[in-house]
Amino acid sequence: MTQGPRKRSSRSSSLQSAGEEEEGSSGVALKKQIGLVSACGIIVGNIIGSGIFVSPKGVLENASSVGVALIVWVSTGIITAIGALCYAELGVTIPKSGGDYSYVKDIFGGLAGFLRLWIAVLVIYPTNQAVIALTFSNYVLQPLFPSCLPPDTALRLLAAVCLLLLTWVNCYSVRWATYVQDVFTAGKLLALGLIIIMGGVQICKGHYYWLQPEHAFETFRDYDVGLIALSFLQGSFAYGGWNFLNYVTEELVDPYTNLPRAIFISIPVVTFVYVFANVAYVTAMSPQELLASNAVAVTFGEKLLGVMSWIMPISVALSTFGGVNGSLFTSSRLFFAGAREGHLPRLLAMIHVKRCTPIPALLFTLISTLLMLCTSDIYTLINYVGFINYLFYGVTVAGQIVLRVKEPDMYRPIKVSLIWPVIYLLFWAFLLVFSLYSEPIVCGIGLAIMMTGVPVYFLGVYWKKKPDYFDIAMGKMTHLFQKLCSVVYPVMEERAEPQESLKKDEDWEAEKSSQMPD
C-alpha cells in the first residue's frame, strides 16, 4: 500500500519528528557524478543486452526475407532516434529523474503517472532484470553442462548471486556502478566489433550471397503486412532501453548539454552495431540456419572462430552482467522518483547519508526481482506487459505535444520541430493497432494488469485522510528503516524554471510542501 502525500496529524508527526529533523539538517543530496562517457554507457549498455547475441531471428522470421529484415533494423533505429530526440526535449524541460513516469505525471496528472509506475514496479523491471540475470547464469553454467541444460535451481541461484553482487555495488557507490557499466559496455561493443569485422572479412572473401539484391529479397514465406508489423515490433523491443538515461537526469553532470549529446552519440552507435551485426550473421549463415539457431552469435563463432569460439558465450555473459547492472541502476531511480512524488512509500525516496545512493530503492528493486526468480511465469508476464510498456512511450511523446499547446512559453533548452513527435506517434499507432489485432488477448491481459493500479491509487495516494494508526505505523516503520540503512530524505535543488504550471489539482502545493524540506 502506498502512502499518499498529505499533512500529518499531530499524533503521527511526533513519531516522525526525529527523522524529519535529521532529513532537514543533513544537507544530503543526489550528486552529479554521471559524465558524458558514463551517460553513453548507460544508454548503450541498457539497449544492447543479450538479444543481438542470442536471438535476432524474431525480426527475420516475421520480415520473411533478409532484405526486409535489414530495412526493419535501420527503420526502427531511425524511429528510436526520433523518440529519443523527443525525450531529450522533455528531459531538459522537466529536469527530474524518473523519465517518462515524471513526464506523464506532470503533464497528464497523478493517476496516469501512477499507472506507469505501477506496471513498472509490479512487472516490467523485476521480470526484465530476472530474465537478464537468468540469461547470464545460463551462459556461465553452460560449459559445465556440455551435454544437457544446466539445472534450473543452479541457474536461479547464480542469477540471485549476480543480483546481490550488483546491488551491493550500486549501494556502495554511484561511481563504482558507472565504472561497471562503462567496462561491460566497452566489452560488449568489442565483442560486437569482432563480429562485424569478421563479417567484413567474409564479404571480402566473396561470402555475400544473401546480401545481393536478387537474393536478399528471396522470401521463405509470403509477405504479410501483419507479420511485417510484428517484425517492426520485435525490432523496437530490441532497441528498448533508449530512454533509461532520462531516469537519472538529476545525477547527470550538466544535463542540459550531456543528456541530448549522449542520446545523439549512443542511438546511431547502437543502430550501426545492430545493422552490421545482422549483416555479418548472414555472411556465415543462411536464413534457415539463422532461424534454427537459439544463440546466433554462438553459432556464428563456432563457424568462423574455431578454437576461439568460446569468446562468444563469454561475450553474452559479460553483456548480460552489464545489462543487469544498468537496469538496477536506472530502475531504482524510477522507484526513488515515485516515492518522492508520494506514489510509493516515503522510505524509498531516501538516500544514504554518506554515500548518497538510494539504498532503500535499490533493496526494493532487488527484493522484487528475487521474488520474480521464484516464479515460473516470468516470460509470460513479459509478453503481457510488453504492449503496455510501449503504450506509455507513445503517451509520453503525445505529452510533449500537449505541453507545447498548454505551455507555449515554457523554458525549453532544446526545442525540436513538432513533425518529429508526429512521425513517432504515427509509427507507434501503426504498431499498437497491429499488436491489438494479432494478439488481442495478450494485450487485453496487459491492460487489465495495469488497471489493477486504479484502486491502489485511490486508496494509497488520493485518499488523504487515512486513520491515525496508519500514519503511526508508517512513521514507525520509516524511522526504523532509516536507522537500519542510515538514510535521510535528500535536499532538493531549486530549479530555475518552476513546474507550478504543470499542476493538475489544487493540492499540488500541499503535496510538495509535505514531501520536500525547505
Side-chain angles (χ1 to χ4, degrees), residues 26-27 37 58 92 114 122-123 139 148 181 224 236 258 274 276 292 330 381 403 429 432 446 515:
S26 67
V37 172
V92 296
F114 180 82
L122 192 66
V123 182
Y139 276 87
C148 62
Q181 193 67 17
D224 180 86
S236 298
N258 285 333
Y274 274 10
F276 284 95
T330 52
L381 285 170
L403 195 60
L432 289 189
Q515 291 193 58

Side-chain angles (χ1 to χ4, degrees), residues 38 154 161 200 370:
S38 294
V161 170
L370 291 176

Side-chain angles (χ1 to χ4, degrees), residues 153-264:
T153 302
L155 287 173
R156 293 176 189 272
L157 283 175
L158 183 57
V161 170
C162 169
L163 289 161
L164 288 165
L165 174 62
L166 288 173
T167 299
W168 177 81
V169 170
N170 278 268
C171 288
Y172 186 78
S173 168
V174 171
R175 196 169 297 280
W176 277 29
T178 56
Y179 283 159
V180 169
Q181 193 67 17
D182 294 347
V183 169
F184 283 90
T185 298
K188 70 179 72 177
L189 286 176
L190 287 173
L192 286 165
L194 175 62
I195 290 174
I196 292 170
I197 290 170
M198 291 166 60
V201 172
Q202 285 286 97
I203 291 173
C204 292
K205 290 181 178 180
H207 299 292
Y208 49 82
Y209 177 88
W210 293 105
L211 297 175
Q212 296 173 315
E214 60 270 24
H215 304 300
F217 293 94
E218 284 184 12
T219 59
F220 44 85
R221 70 162 71 172
D222 292 337
Y223 287 125
D224 180 86
V225 175
L227 289 175
I228 291 176
L230 289 176
S231 180
F232 274 104
L233 193 61
Q234 292 274 354
S236 298
F237 286 148
Y239 283 93
W242 54 268
N243 60 326
F244 277 18
L245 187 61
N246 292 70
Y247 290 163
V248 296
T249 304
E250 293 171 36
E251 295 172 80
L252 273 176
V253 176
D254 190 11
Y256 294 108
T257 300
N258 285 333
L259 176 62
R261 188 175 292 173
I263 289 170
F264 297 151

Side-chain angles (χ1 to χ4, degrees), residues 129-413:
Q129 285 157 190
V131 168
I132 298 171
L134 285 170
T135 305
F136 162 77
S137 57
N138 185 60
Y139 276 87
V140 170
L141 293 176
Q142 190 61 59
L144 302 178
F145 300 90
S147 60
C148 62
L149 294 174
D152 190 62
T153 302
L155 287 173
R156 293 176 189 272
L157 283 175
L158 183 57
V161 170
C162 169
L163 289 161
L164 288 165
L165 174 62
L166 288 173
T167 299
W168 177 81
V169 170
N170 278 268
C171 288
Y172 186 78
S173 168
V174 171
R175 196 169 297 280
W176 277 29
T178 56
Y179 283 159
V180 169
Q181 193 67 17
D182 294 347
V183 169
F184 283 90
T185 298
K188 70 179 72 177
L189 286 176
L190 287 173
L192 286 165
L194 175 62
I195 290 174
I196 292 170
I197 290 170
M198 291 166 60
V201 172
Q202 285 286 97
I203 291 173
C204 292
K205 290 181 178 180
H207 299 292
Y208 49 82
Y209 177 88
W210 293 105
L211 297 175
Q212 296 173 315
E214 60 270 24
H215 304 300
F217 293 94
E218 284 184 12
T219 59
F220 44 85
R221 70 162 71 172
D222 292 337
Y223 287 125
D224 180 86
V225 175
L227 289 175
I228 291 176
L230 289 176
S231 180
F232 274 104
L233 193 61
Q234 292 274 354
S236 298
F237 286 148
Y239 283 93
W242 54 268
N243 60 326
F244 277 18
L245 187 61
N246 292 70
Y247 290 163
V248 296
T249 304
E250 293 171 36
E251 295 172 80
L252 273 176
V253 176
D254 190 11
Y256 294 108
T257 300
N258 285 333
L259 176 62
R261 188 175 292 173
I263 289 170
F264 297 151
I265 293 171
S266 301
I267 303 300
V269 167
V270 172
T271 303
F272 174 87
V273 167
Y274 274 10
V275 171
F276 284 95
N278 279 278
V279 167
Y281 289 148
V282 296
T283 63
M285 292 177 279
S286 68
Q288 291 73 23
E289 288 177 303
L290 195 150
L291 292 174
S293 174
N294 290 321
V296 176
V298 175
T299 305
F300 181 85
E302 289 170 350
K303 282 180 169 288
L304 299 184
L305 289 175
V307 295
M308 299 296 289
S309 60
W310 55 268
I311 291 176
M312 286 301 132
I314 293 297
S315 298
V316 177
L318 295 178
S319 178
T320 49
F321 188 81
V324 173
N325 180 74
S327 185
L328 284 170
F329 186 87
T330 52
S331 62
S332 63
R333 270 56 178 184
L334 173 61
F335 301 159
F336 166 87
R340 191 175 61 188
E341 298 290 344
H343 285 175
L344 289 174
R346 180 180 176 83
L347 176 67
L348 299 183
M350 296 184 182
I351 64 175
H352 193 271
V353 292
K354 292 182 179 179
R355 305 193 185 282
C356 298
T357 54
I359 289 178
L362 283 161
L363 293 178
F364 177 79
T365 307
L366 170 68
I367 292 169
S368 61
T369 306
L370 291 176
L371 289 174
M372 281 297 172
L373 283 178
C374 300
T375 179
S376 59
D377 297 324
I378 298 176
Y379 295 95
T380 304
L381 285 170
I382 286 180
N383 288 335
Y384 286 154
V385 301
F387 167 78
I388 303 300
N389 197 35
Y390 205 73
L391 173 68
F392 272 104
Y393 289 166
V395 171
T396 305
V397 173
Q400 179 187 12
I401 299 175
V402 171
L403 195 60
R404 285 282 192 92
V405 174
K406 296 178 70 173
E407 300 287 341
D409 299 323
M410 192 175 189
Y411 175 63
R412 293 175 172 84

Side-chain angles (χ1 to χ4, degrees), residues 445-463:
I445 292 174
L447 286 168
I449 293 173
M450 180 185 72
M451 295 309 293
T452 60
V454 174
V456 177
Y457 173 79
F458 282 103
L459 288 173
V461 180
Y462 188 80
W463 181 26

